[in-house]
Amino acid sequence: MDSWQNCKNILVIRLDNMGDLLMSTPAIRALKETFKSKITVLTSSMAAGITPHIPEIDETITFDVPWVKTANASFSNVFLKMVDVLKEKQFDAAIIFTVFSQNPMPAVMLAYLADIPKRLAYCRENPYELLTNWVPDEEPYTLIKHQVKRDLDLVATVGTKTSNDLLSLKIPKAWNSAKEKLHKNSIDLQKPWIILHPGVSEIKRQYPTQNWIELGKRLIADFDCQVIITGSASEKKLTDEIQQGIGTNAFSVAGLLSLDEFICLIKEASLLIAVNTGPVHIAAATQTPVIVLYAQTNPQHTPWKTPNKVLFFEVPEALQSKNEVLKFVQKEAEKVPEIVAVEAILEAVATLSF
């Protein structure tokens, strides 16, 4: 532990999506507060956009790796170039954060080849010289922790502490520009609104379009609110279809807002209803109430310390993961509905005192 006290230039490797990086922010804060170090994050292009709003991060290196699902995976020659980039940074230590179903070894090898002297990660087998500090990974066979707790417990093994385990996200100054765009789209900002975020990165997480439409109609009728349907530009066809199905007081804004404006929209919203995807963790970071229509996949990514309701539904057998670790979780999981009923969502909305 004493030797880690001298680590003033630390690399954090979190190569997944935006939500994954947000869930690692309490652990990153613990590193920053304990060692008073510069923190560089190596992350994917899917997550890099959020890093300017995480105060504990001093520098970001973007790298899309072939062992994480992405449309922009790097080739082997780029991997070797990244080794050289990391060598030049002369890091004192590297921490590799992973989901329990991931193999840490490719990222560990990256840090090892970059001659980073201290390397910390969870691992299922003895990594010998590849890691200087490692924690045997008991998940999910012995227990399952929330991802935030998993990451905090990892860095605690080298002596870190923090009194603040909330997700870290500085709200950007983009609400005025967001309001202008929303006003131009006939959204009345004097009335409450609920965000629906239907887009998914994996088909197994999707909630049926017709159910979104039925839900939107009932929300407007039962709670006298507006419904704002968000998504990326590539999801505009879906959000437009849902908006047209709902009708009056529903608005499709997919592709309209920048990430900064989208964060502000979530911050100002009365409620977010989404599948288990990145905006859920933005809501947790902004302390916005959230309802998650949660495909029964990794169970440790529920909203962290914000008012929430998680409604699980079954992943069809044909779409279930081939990962043996996740197969174990699926086998041990409690039986859940094939699909979340709209009535169950409305009950959750009432529970959250909208």
Side-chain angles (χ1 to χ4, degrees), residues 10 58 67 108 290 305 309-310:
I10 294 178
D58 299 297
W67 59 89
V108 170
V290 57
K305 296 197 172 181
K309 183 70 174 177
V310 179

Side-chain angles (χ1 to χ4, degrees), residues 31 102 136 195 197 268 284:
L31 289 165
Q102 291 175 323
I195 298 174
H197 192 86
E268 297 295 328

Side-chain angles (χ1 to χ4, degrees), residues 2-308:
D2 290 341
S3 59
W4 279 76
Q5 290 290 343
N6 298 320
C7 294
K8 303 303 178 186
N9 186 20
I10 294 178
L11 176 67
V12 169
I13 301 178
R14 193 62 164 116
L15 295 165
D16 308 79
N17 292 311
M18 185 183 302
D20 300 296
L21 181 58
L22 282 171
M23 285 185 286
S24 293
T25 55
I28 295 171
R29 180 187 297 119
L31 289 165
K32 187 83 169 176
E33 291 178 355
T34 302
F35 301 133
K36 307 295 188 291
S37 54
K38 176 185 177 182
I39 300 290
T40 300
V41 167
L42 179 68
T43 195
S44 70
S45 59
M46 300 175 290
I50 203 80
T51 59
H53 308 305
I54 300 173
E56 293 79 8
I57 296 175
D58 299 297
E59 185 178 352
T60 302
I61 302 172
T62 304
F63 188 38
D64 290 318
V65 298
W67 59 89
V68 173
K69 185 178 180 181
T70 175
N72 305 304
S74 303
F75 295 102
S76 57
N77 63 321
V78 181
F79 182 95
L80 296 175
K81 287 179 182 178
M82 181 54 64
V83 170
D84 292 335
V85 168
L86 299 181
K87 274 186 180 180
E88 290 176 5
K89 298 287 185 179
Q90 297 185 328
F91 293 109
D92 299 317
I95 296 92
I96 298 95
F97 291 126
T98 55
V99 179
F100 64 65
S101 56
Q102 291 175 323
N103 185 342
M105 284 307 188
V108 170
M109 182 61 75
L110 185 62
Y112 177 79
L113 293 174
D115 293 332
I116 301 174
K118 299 188 185 307
R119 302 172 299 279
L120 169 67
Y122 286 104
C123 198
R124 297 196 185 281
E125 60 191 82
N126 191 332
Y128 297 100
E129 299 305 315
L130 290 178
L131 287 172
T132 59
N133 300 77
W134 71 287
V135 177
D137 200 342
E138 299 179 85
E139 294 188 80
Y141 304 107
T142 304
L143 75 169
I144 294 179
K145 302 177 184 178
H146 193 283
Q147 187 68 43
V148 172
K149 186 69 166 60
R150 173 181 169 88
D151 293 349
L152 280 168
D153 286 352
L154 178 66
V155 297
T157 64
V158 293
T160 69
K161 294 180 180 178
T162 182
S163 60
N164 179 2
D165 66 355
L166 296 178
L167 304 190
S168 180
L169 184 66
K170 184 178 179 180
I171 306 302
K173 296 179 179 179
W175 182 227
N176 285 338
S177 60
K179 287 194 293 185
E180 185 176 340
K181 291 179 180 180
L182 297 170
H183 180 72
K184 286 181 179 178
N185 280 265
S186 303
I187 297 170
D188 184 356
L189 296 175
Q190 301 306 310
K191 289 183 62 178
W193 68 85
I194 292 176
I195 298 174
L196 303 185
H197 192 86
V200 293
S201 57
E202 300 175 293
I203 191 171
K204 63 186 176 185
R205 299 185 184 188
Q206 72 181 6
Y207 188 64
T209 300
Q210 194 56 46
N211 290 50
W212 283 114
I213 291 171
E214 182 185 348
L215 173 62
K217 288 179 177 179
R218 289 291 303 276
L219 289 170
I220 292 167
D222 294 1
F223 296 97
D224 190 26
C225 65
Q226 301 166 104
V227 168
I228 300 178
I229 309 149
T230 58
S232 64
S234 64
E235 294 163 343
K236 182 171 170 53
K237 181 179 179 181
L238 171 63
T239 62
D240 284 354
E241 181 182 354
I242 294 170
Q243 182 274 320
Q244 290 162 11
I246 297 170
T248 305
N249 283 325
F251 305 91
S252 169
V253 300
L256 178 68
L257 304 176
S258 68
L259 175 59
D260 288 13
E261 292 165 340
F262 183 50
I263 293 170
C264 292
L265 179 69
I266 291 177
K267 171 64 177 175
E268 297 295 328
S270 304
L271 177 67
L272 168 69
I273 304 175
V275 293
N276 48 319
T277 189
V280 167
H281 305 294
I282 294 176
T286 60
Q287 295 292 285
T288 300
V290 57
I291 295 171
V292 190
L293 312 180
Y294 202 115
Q296 200 175 41
T297 52
N298 283 347
Q300 74 280 27
H301 292 166
T302 52
W304 180 255
K305 296 197 172 181
T306 195
N308 73 87

